Amino acid sequence: MEAHYSNWIEISRSAYRKNLEFFKNRVMPGTDISVVIKANAYGHGMLEIASLADECGIRIFCVHSINEALALRKQGFTQRIVVLGPTIKCFAEAAVKNDIEVVCYNIENLELYEELAKKANKIFNIHLKIETGTNRQGISGSALLAFLDVLKKCEHVKLRAAYSHFANIEDTTDHSYARMQIERFKNEVALIKNAGFSGFDLHFASSAAATIFTKTHFNMIRLGIAQYGLWPSKETYLSYITEFGHGSEHILSPVLSWKTVIGQIKKINAGDYVGYGCSHQMTRESTIAILPIGYSDGYDRHLSNQGYVLIRGKRAPVIGRIAMNLTTVDVTDIPEAEVEDEVVLIGSQGDQIIRAEDIASLEGTINYEVVARLPEHITRIIVD
Ligand SMILES: *Cc1c(COP(=O)(O)O)cnc(C)c1O
């Protein structure tokens, strides 16, 4: 196939559908699936993923910021949109005007929402974040009671949901901390009910809990990384296959592939150096291929002299330092390689595969970061 971009990301519709199908079958009746598409849908492309999720019948999007929510509204998405990160006061009016749901735990913001919703003659929906042990956003105990006192008087702000977030599910196969968080959550929810509130939803589970603990599903799951076909961690994977046995590891299919092409091929001599800092010296007469991809495109410089790519179904090692927009690989053992051949950076080719997790372990990070920081300037193409 003739290349049309020097590097691009392919998003597989069939893999995405398959992953959502798994969760549709897994959630309890009456539980909604919201998809978390913050961070440009974990690098997959927010608008591209929103349109695939829409095709799959998803009715709720979760994002981090009001700007992401407004971008979705601008594209015409009519789904419910929940902003999970803090919304600063200057964006309150835009949130009310565009019917965005926001996380709220701060009385000052609550009073502002009441005033704006009253002026607009609307009901504005908030999600109250409960602190249960992650110690990020949220309130509990006396701060929660003080908040509820004000909320009780608000006629235009509706408590749409109370929710919390697990601190320690991904990093362990011991889930006692998670169980403690659920207990705290139930106690705080009891406080809310005792204060006279009813008819609100509860949600807690992100991908790991959604996959391994159906009892954390409540009214909605917030499905992030698993919708993209990536496991939240090795521990989550182990917890799952320990419970469900072999064969169950294939429930998730990676949605994203990242590709580039060969820009130039040339022969160099034994003893020649490659790239900045002369960090790699050839030990034999070699053929090298130059790729139009570098660290400014998200191909991490830590992969210098460490990573590998796929060309003609074979592994080609990265040699020398990754530059801003160029990377060199050794194709001496792939003599059939030609200029403009497709090169896989993440994904499969022939019977070889490079997973986001493989790159993450070379870089000393997690699969979340590998995909989430893929830059916005790369073209995303939806393929079947
Ligand atoms: C990012 C995020 C999620 C999604 O987490 P995954 O592990 O990717 O499923 C869910 N809830 C909150 C509050 C988040 O910030």
PDB file of all heavy atoms in Angstrom, residues 113-126:
ATOM      1  N   TYR A 113     -22.902  27.683  40.760  1.00  0.00           N
ATOM      2  CA  TYR A 113     -23.728  26.886  39.841  1.00  0.00           C
ATOM      3  C   TYR A 113     -25.207  27.168  40.082  1.00  0.00           C
ATOM      4  O   TYR A 113     -25.993  27.301  39.146  1.00  0.00           O
ATOM      5  CB  TYR A 113     -23.462  25.384  40.024  1.00  0.00           C
ATOM      6  CG  TYR A 113     -22.080  24.939  39.574  1.00  0.00           C
ATOM      7  CD1 TYR A 113     -21.306  24.097  40.364  1.00  0.00           C
ATOM      8  CD2 TYR A 113     -21.559  25.365  38.358  1.00  0.00           C
ATOM      9  CE1 TYR A 113     -20.048  23.694  39.965  1.00  0.00           C
ATOM     10  CE2 TYR A 113     -20.294  24.966  37.945  1.00  0.00           C
ATOM     11  CZ  TYR A 113     -19.546  24.135  38.760  1.00  0.00           C
ATOM     12  OH  TYR A 113     -18.297  23.734  38.369  1.00  0.00           O
ATOM     13  N   GLU A 114     -25.607  27.283  41.357  1.00  0.00           N
ATOM     14  CA  GLU A 114     -27.008  27.539  41.684  1.00  0.00           C
ATOM     15  C   GLU A 114     -27.450  28.880  41.079  1.00  0.00           C
ATOM     16  O   GLU A 114     -28.503  28.980  40.443  1.00  0.00           O
ATOM     17  CB  GLU A 114     -27.194  27.525  43.209  1.00  0.00           C
ATOM     18  CG  GLU A 114     -28.561  27.969  43.701  1.00  0.00           C
ATOM     19  CD  GLU A 114     -29.733  27.083  43.247  1.00  0.00           C
ATOM     20  OE1 GLU A 114     -29.494  25.939  42.822  1.00  0.00           O
ATOM     21  OE2 GLU A 114     -30.883  27.559  43.298  1.00  0.00           O
ATOM     22  N   GLU A 115     -26.598  29.874  41.239  1.00  0.00           N
ATOM     23  CA  GLU A 115     -26.923  31.209  40.732  1.00  0.00           C
ATOM     24  C   GLU A 115     -27.043  31.196  39.201  1.00  0.00           C
ATOM     25  O   GLU A 115     -28.009  31.728  38.629  1.00  0.00           O
ATOM     26  CB  GLU A 115     -25.793  32.150  41.193  1.00  0.00           C
ATOM     27  CG  GLU A 115     -25.940  33.593  40.794  1.00  0.00           C
ATOM     28  CD  GLU A 115     -24.618  34.357  41.061  1.00  0.00           C
ATOM     29  OE1 GLU A 115     -23.950  34.068  42.093  1.00  0.00           O
ATOM     30  OE2 GLU A 115     -24.247  35.197  40.220  1.00  0.00           O
ATOM     31  N   LEU A 116     -26.079  30.524  38.535  1.00  0.00           N
ATOM     32  CA  LEU A 116     -26.080  30.509  37.064  1.00  0.00           C
ATOM     33  C   LEU A 116     -27.233  29.668  36.510  1.00  0.00           C
ATOM     34  O   LEU A 116     -27.865  30.039  35.519  1.00  0.00           O
ATOM     35  CB  LEU A 116     -24.741  29.960  36.546  1.00  0.00           C
ATOM     36  CG  LEU A 116     -23.529  30.875  36.773  1.00  0.00           C
ATOM     37  CD1 LEU A 116     -22.232  30.109  36.532  1.00  0.00           C
ATOM     38  CD2 LEU A 116     -23.591  32.104  35.872  1.00  0.00           C
ATOM     39  N   ALA A 117     -27.508  28.544  37.161  1.00  0.00           N
ATOM     40  CA  ALA A 117     -28.587  27.670  36.688  1.00  0.00           C
ATOM     41  C   ALA A 117     -29.936  28.345  36.888  1.00  0.00           C
ATOM     42  O   ALA A 117     -30.843  28.226  36.059  1.00  0.00           O
ATOM     43  CB  ALA A 117     -28.526  26.331  37.416  1.00  0.00           C
ATOM     44  N   LYS A 118     -30.058  29.073  37.984  1.00  0.00           N
ATOM     45  CA  LYS A 118     -31.299  29.799  38.253  1.00  0.00           C
ATOM     46  C   LYS A 118     -31.523  30.852  37.171  1.00  0.00           C
ATOM     47  O   LYS A 118     -32.618  30.972  36.599  1.00  0.00           O
ATOM     48  CB  LYS A 118     -31.193  30.455  39.639  1.00  0.00           C
ATOM     49  CG  LYS A 118     -32.461  31.154  40.064  1.00  0.00           C
ATOM     50  CD  LYS A 118     -32.351  31.642  41.488  1.00  0.00           C
ATOM     51  CE  LYS A 118     -33.653  32.359  41.862  1.00  0.00           C
ATOM     52  NZ  LYS A 118     -33.562  32.925  43.199  1.00  0.00           N
ATOM     53  N   LYS A 119     -30.469  31.576  36.865  1.00  0.00           N
ATOM     54  CA  LYS A 119     -30.541  32.612  35.829  1.00  0.00           C
ATOM     55  C   LYS A 119     -30.920  32.001  34.471  1.00  0.00           C
ATOM     56  O   LYS A 119     -31.691  32.566  33.702  1.00  0.00           O
ATOM     57  CB  LYS A 119     -29.171  33.317  35.728  1.00  0.00           C
ATOM     58  CG  LYS A 119     -29.301  34.787  35.320  1.00  0.00           C
ATOM     59  CD  LYS A 119     -27.940  35.450  35.059  1.00  0.00           C
ATOM     60  CE  LYS A 119     -27.066  35.612  36.299  1.00  0.00           C
ATOM     61  NZ  LYS A 119     -25.689  36.058  35.954  1.00  0.00           N
ATOM     62  N   ALA A 120     -30.356  30.822  34.192  1.00  0.00           N
ATOM     63  CA  ALA A 120     -30.633  30.162  32.910  1.00  0.00           C
ATOM     64  C   ALA A 120     -31.930  29.347  32.960  1.00  0.00           C
ATOM     65  O   ALA A 120     -32.308  28.741  31.958  1.00  0.00           O
ATOM     66  CB  ALA A 120     -29.455  29.249  32.546  1.00  0.00           C
ATOM     67  N   ASN A 121     -32.541  29.301  34.130  1.00  0.00           N
ATOM     68  CA  ASN A 121     -33.775  28.548  34.329  1.00  0.00           C
ATOM     69  C   ASN A 121     -33.618  27.062  33.936  1.00  0.00           C
ATOM     70  O   ASN A 121     -34.385  26.515  33.157  1.00  0.00           O
ATOM     71  CB  ASN A 121     -34.916  29.206  33.533  1.00  0.00           C
ATOM     72  CG  ASN A 121     -36.266  28.679  33.981  1.00  0.00           C
ATOM     73  OD1 ASN A 121     -36.401  28.199  35.102  1.00  0.00           O
ATOM     74  ND2 ASN A 121     -37.248  28.745  33.080  1.00  0.00           N
ATOM     75  N   LYS A 122     -32.568  26.457  34.505  1.00  0.00           N
ATOM     76  CA  LYS A 122     -32.222  25.075  34.180  1.00  0.00           C
ATOM     77  C   LYS A 122     -31.944  24.295  35.443  1.00  0.00           C
ATOM     78  O   LYS A 122     -31.695  24.871  36.488  1.00  0.00           O
ATOM     79  CB  LYS A 122     -30.880  25.034  33.435  1.00  0.00           C
ATOM     80  CG  LYS A 122     -30.872  25.479  32.048  1.00  0.00           C
ATOM     81  CD  LYS A 122     -29.493  25.192  31.473  1.00  0.00           C
ATOM     82  CE  LYS A 122     -29.608  25.262  29.968  1.00  0.00           C
ATOM     83  NZ  LYS A 122     -28.337  25.042  29.323  1.00  0.00           N
ATOM     84  N   ILE A 123     -31.896  22.981  35.270  1.00  0.00           N
ATOM     85  CA  ILE A 123     -31.363  22.131  36.332  1.00  0.00           C
ATOM     86  C   ILE A 123     -29.935  21.761  35.917  1.00  0.00           C
ATOM     87  O   ILE A 123     -29.699  21.320  34.796  1.00  0.00           O
ATOM     88  CB  ILE A 123     -32.213  20.849  36.494  1.00  0.00           C
ATOM     89  CG1 ILE A 123     -33.634  21.221  36.943  1.00  0.00           C
ATOM     90  CG2 ILE A 123     -31.559  19.878  37.461  1.00  0.00           C
ATOM     91  CD1 ILE A 123     -33.722  21.862  38.312  1.00  0.00           C
ATOM     92  N   PHE A 124     -29.001  21.955  36.833  1.00  0.00           N
ATOM     93  CA  PHE A 124     -27.595  21.653  36.562  1.00  0.00           C
ATOM     94  C   PHE A 124     -27.190  20.432  37.399  1.00  0.00           C
ATOM     95  O   PHE A 124     -27.451  20.376  38.598  1.00  0.00           O
ATOM     96  CB  PHE A 124     -26.738  22.867  36.929  1.00  0.00           C
ATOM     97  CG  PHE A 124     -25.286  22.702  36.598  1.00  0.00           C
ATOM     98  CD1 PHE A 124     -24.862  22.600  35.281  1.00  0.00           C
ATOM     99  CD2 PHE A 124     -24.328  22.642  37.608  1.00  0.00           C
ATOM    100  CE1 PHE A 124     -23.519  22.446  34.973  1.00  0.00           C
ATOM    101  CE2 PHE A 124     -22.981  22.491  37.305  1.00  0.00           C
ATOM    102  CZ  PHE A 124     -22.581  22.396  35.985  1.00  0.00           C
ATOM    103  N   ASN A 125     -26.554  19.446  36.736  1.00  0.00           N
ATOM    104  CA  ASN A 125     -26.222  18.180  37.400  1.00  0.00           C
ATOM    105  C   ASN A 125     -24.784  18.150  37.904  1.00  0.00           C
ATOM    106  O   ASN A 125     -23.855  18.407  37.127  1.00  0.00           O
ATOM    107  CB  ASN A 125     -26.405  17.024  36.417  1.00  0.00           C
ATOM    108  CG  ASN A 125     -27.864  16.779  36.141  1.00  0.00           C
ATOM    109  OD1 ASN A 125     -28.629  16.452  37.049  1.00  0.00           O
ATOM    110  ND2 ASN A 125     -28.270  16.956  34.894  1.00  0.00           N
ATOM    111  N   ILE A 126     -24.632  17.785  39.157  1.00  0.00           N
ATOM    112  CA  ILE A 126     -23.272  17.634  39.699  1.00  0.00           C
ATOM    113  C   ILE A 126     -23.034  16.192  40.170  1.00  0.00           C
ATOM    114  O   ILE A 126     -23.969  15.472  40.527  1.00  0.00           O
ATOM    115  CB  ILE A 126     -22.996  18.600  40.879  1.00  0.00           C
ATOM    116  CG1 ILE A 126     -23.966  18.333  42.035  1.00  0.00           C
ATOM    117  CG2 ILE A 126     -23.040  20.051  40.416  1.00  0.00           C
ATOM    118  CD1 ILE A 126     -23.512  18.962  43.346  1.00  0.00           C
TER     119      ILE A 126
END
